[in-house]
Structure formats: C-alpha cells, structure tokens
Amino acid sequence: MTGVKAWPLLLLPFSLVSMGKAACPFPVLNGKIVLSSESILKNSFPDNSEAFVECAKGFERDEGPTSITCVNGVWSPVKLSCKKIDCRQPELSPHMTYSIPDGTFFGAYIQPICETEIYKI
C-alpha cells in the first residue's frame, strides 16, 4: 500500500514543469523579413522574450515595429513591412545607353550598350 502513496510524489516534478510557460520555437519568417544578427544567435526563446527582425538584403523598412514577442509559446504577428530598394537609373556616360527592361529595383538586370562609331578611311 505504501507504493501507491509514492506516485503523487513521483509525478510532482512533471506537473510543475507543465505549469511553466511555454517557450517559442525558432521564428519562421517570409524571406523579405529575417531575424537580426542578435536574435539569430539565440538558442531559445522563453515566454515573454523578444526577437528582433529586419528587412532582408535588397529590401528596406517601410513601416512597423522591428520586434516580435513570444506569448504562451506563440509569436506575435510580424508587423514590419519591407519594400524592395529602388537602385534608380545609372548615371549617364558619354557614348553609352542602357537597356532596362525589368525596372531598377534590387535584383533587376540592366544591359549597358556602347555606342559604336564607324570611321571612314
């Protein structure tokens, strides 16, 4: 009969662990937004901790906060908005034009076209 009374004592540590607040998993983001170098090095994200986010290479911050919070094992929504960087038209050079079929946003290609001269001899 004494073995039956020992079960509650053996289960006590497990019940205390389950009463603790849940940690969040590593955040999964959309590609335009990434974890900051500070947050990417963290091994765990306990409840009520923050992770810092930033725009990925080729994007710039449009609006919104740069952090998310772990609440009861779930991340708060990412409200940071990022937009592609506009690299703008290249500077004009003598005897050169550019073909810009895909625009001037980061990642688009432009083709320089050199002017050719025909010399008469």
Side-chain angles (χ1 to χ4, degrees):
M1 195 76 174
T2 59
V4 175
K5 292 180 183 178
W7 275 107
L9 293 175
L10 291 173
L11 296 176
L12 181 62
F14 294 109
S15 65
L16 293 175
V17 169
S18 66
M19 289 173 56
K21 295 185 178 185
C24 282
F26 200 79
V28 177
L29 303 167
N30 68 12
K32 286 183 186 180
I33 299 170
V34 296
L35 282 178
S36 71
S37 55
E38 173 189 343
S39 292
I40 205 163
L41 297 175
K42 289 186 176 183
N43 292 324
S44 64
F45 297 95
D47 196 49
N48 293 322
S49 64
E50 280 187 316
F52 295 95
V53 293
E54 58 190 29
C55 298
K57 183 178 179 181
F59 293 85
E60 62 187 353
R61 184 172 179 239
D62 190 23
E63 63 183 4
T66 57
S67 67
I68 53 177
T69 306
C70 175
V71 179
N72 294 325
V74 178
W75 287 108
S76 62
V78 176
K79 294 183 180 176
L80 177 64
S81 174
C82 299
K83 61 183 180 181
K84 267 194 173 184
I85 294 173
D86 187 351
C87 299
R88 299 189 176 87
Q89 297 276 341
E91 288 187 31
L92 295 177
S93 299
H95 311 291
M96 185 180 296
T97 59
Y98 298 95
S99 172
I100 308 173
D102 299 322
T104 58
F105 288 101
F106 184 85
Y109 291 95
I110 66 169
Q111 179 182 8
I113 302 168
C114 293
E115 199 176 274
T116 58
E117 291 188 45
I118 301 176
Y119 294 99
K120 293 183 182 180
I121 298 179

